[in-house]
Amino acid sequence: FGIMAILPLPSLPFQLYRLPYYFFFFYLGQVFWLNREKYFSKLPLKKIITIWLVFVLVFVGLRIVKANVMELADGNVPLLQKVTFNIISKTCQIVYATLGMTAIYVTGIFVTSKYKLPDWYIRLGNLCFGVYIFQEFILKYLYYFSELPKSCPPHIIPWVCFIITIVLSLCLSKATKDL
């Protein structure tokens, strides 16, 4: 999965060329879940902080590498070099994204093992995927088909749209979840 995630793929409809990249993380999430007791359940806070520090350092370093590589790829270079630069860029992205995902995952396990989350928080979390689905349609409607952008000052529009979108997304998610 990792190899397919870094290979440059032709542009496909519905952004299907990104599927191997995201599928890598779905697979990795499954591996983490299956091994949570063995590797992740008893991590001390010091190791979690270390994981976060490593992530931040690697993220900054690899973002600089990625930016420089992509700048080289934008020039007039042969196709093989362009492909190589693209693979290097995607590899950098997968490395720091994997470290970031790991840091968030171990932090989540640590917090939930130490503290009981409130019931409202769990119920809200159960609506998140619905919010993810609905928010794009609501935002597109607000920005492209409503009069809202014309009637609000430019610096307030994102905040107004955010509030409207989150409330409507939560309501729609709740309504469709209860069906």
Side-chain angles (χ1 to χ4, degrees), residues 54-100:
V54 168
F55 163 68
V56 169
L57 292 174
V58 169
F59 178 78
V60 170
L62 290 182
R63 285 294 293 187
I64 292 168
V65 169
K66 184 178 173 184
N68 289 331
V69 164
M70 291 315 290
E71 190 175 307
L72 292 172
D74 285 342
N76 192 9
V77 295
L79 180 62
L80 185 59
Q81 263 187 311
K82 217 171 247 225
V83 167
T84 304
F85 290 152
N86 197 318
I87 289 172
I88 291 168
S89 174
K90 282 187 174 182
T91 302
C92 289
Q93 186 174 344
I94 282 187
V95 169
Y96 65 68
T98 301
L99 283 169

Side-chain angles (χ1 to χ4, degrees), residues 2-14:
I3 299 296
M4 283 187 60
I6 63 170
L7 292 176
L9 298 173
S11 186
L12 298 169
F14 306 114

